[in-house]
Amino acid sequence: MGIVTSLLAIFSLLLTAASAEVPSRLDSLLEGCAAWPAKKARGACRSIKAWPAQSPLIFGSVCRSIKAWPAQNPLIFGSFFAGVKTCAADFLVQTKIEGRSFKEIDWRRQFIFSSWGFSYLGGFQYFLYNVAFVRMFPAAQRFAEAPLRAKLSDRQGLYAVAGQLGVETFIHAPFIWFPVFYATKQIVERGGVTSTADAFNAAADIWTKYKSSIRDDFSVYVALFTPTFALQFAFAPLWARVPCTAMVSFVYTAYLSFTHGTPPA
């Protein structure tokens, strides 16, 4: 009996010690599990930070590829840039200026501006500025890529800048840009054109909108874009023409969204 009692006492002591130690070890294990993502994240950040120094040739090649991609794919880059910009400008006006919540966003209006940005501001204007203008004014590309000292003595290049600015301001904007914008907005708001009579009615509404809005819209356009295009045609490489226009037109898109965004009741 004495031996059994002693063994039971020893077992009791061991069980008490174990019960006191297990929670502390469990806490340590949980703390280690909680700290593991942070340690891994720090390790990943250190690896990313050290990668350029450890692999300079690969890093340089990746950077050069990223930098060269817009110039190699100007249509895709310009269309994407213009579309996202236009969508963002309308979203900003709806949420920050008009005070709408996310549930109150007019998604049809978003579609109008987004489709307008991707297709016309990105796609059509690429062919206008990078293809048509270059053919109409052969000195345009050479002048844009020339150093400043050479530009000052390049009479043909200066004529090319003035010619592009004239075509943009007095032909493209009033007779193509604005009619297409008003038509896109009117057709989307009507839900499409389903018949010949509907097409005539839509055309009449577009003409009415043009007559009532072109004076104010064109005045703002000229004030904002005349200096923009003068600098762009003189200094921007061809691939950057659409993105440069898109950056400045963020302000003008916000103006159009605010003044023409909500359809009349």
Side-chain angles (χ1 to χ4, degrees):
M1 287 294 293
I3 295 174
V4 174
T5 303
S6 300
L7 290 175
L8 288 174
I10 293 171
F11 180 75
S12 177
L13 290 173
L14 292 174
L15 187 61
T16 302
S19 63
E21 186 177 357
V22 167
S24 62
R25 291 195 174 184
L26 184 60
D27 291 341
S28 299
L29 180 61
L30 292 175
E31 290 177 0
C33 291
W36 184 80
K39 291 180 180 178
K40 286 295 182 181
R42 287 195 295 269
C45 289
R46 285 194 294 269
S47 299
I48 294 173
K49 185 177 180 180
W51 181 64
Q54 294 172 351
S55 306
L57 295 178
I58 298 176
F59 180 75
S61 177
V62 171
C63 290
R64 286 191 295 272
S65 298
I66 294 174
K67 183 178 180 181
W69 192 86
Q72 294 170 353
N73 303 273
L75 176 58
I76 297 174
F77 179 73
S79 298
F80 178 78
F81 195 97
V84 172
K85 176 273 307 179
T86 309
C87 178
D90 175 63
F91 187 84
L92 180 66
V93 170
Q94 291 198 51
T95 55
K96 300 302 181 183
I97 297 179
E98 297 177 1
R100 303 188 185 204
S101 66
F102 186 79
K103 294 181 179 180
E104 297 172 332
I105 294 295
D106 185 345
W107 295 110
R108 182 178 61 176
R109 173 174 157 183
Q110 272 277 290
F111 176 77
I112 292 172
F113 281 94
S114 299
S115 58
W116 165 253
F118 280 107
S119 61
Y120 190 90
L121 302 183
F124 176 78
Q125 289 193 158
Y126 165 81
F127 289 102
L128 177 66
Y129 300 147
N130 293 31
V131 179
F133 277 11
V134 171
R135 292 180 180 177
M136 293 170 63
F137 306 98
Q141 183 174 2
R142 186 198 72 237
F143 185 82
E145 297 173 352
L148 180 59
R149 185 181 298 272
K151 292 180 192 293
L152 297 177
S153 59
D154 187 347
R155 182 173 297 180
Q156 288 185 341
L158 292 172
Y159 286 157
V161 172
Q164 292 173 93
L165 189 60
V167 173
E168 169 62 32
T169 305
F170 300 110
I171 297 177
H172 172 229
F175 299 115
I176 301 176
W177 199 101
F178 284 105
V180 172
F181 171 72
Y182 297 143
T184 302
K185 185 175 183 298
Q186 188 64 232
I187 291 172
V188 172
E189 288 179 351
R190 295 172 68 92
V193 176
T194 58
S195 64
T196 303
D198 196 22
F200 279 109
N201 291 333
D205 291 341
I206 293 167
W207 175 240
T208 300
K209 183 68 174 177
Y210 182 88
K211 290 190 296 182
S212 64
S213 303
I214 187 62
R215 182 184 298 274
D216 293 336
D217 290 347
F218 185 64
S219 298
V220 177
Y221 185 94
V222 170
L224 180 63
F225 282 105
T226 298
T228 297
F229 282 121
L231 293 173
Q232 176 177 289
F233 295 146
F235 296 101
L238 293 184
W239 69 265
R241 286 188 168 190
V242 171
C244 288
T245 304
M247 285 191 292
V248 177
S249 69
F250 186 93
V251 177
Y252 193 71
T253 302
Y255 160 80
L256 290 177
S257 174
F258 184 71
T259 56
H260 299 286
T262 304

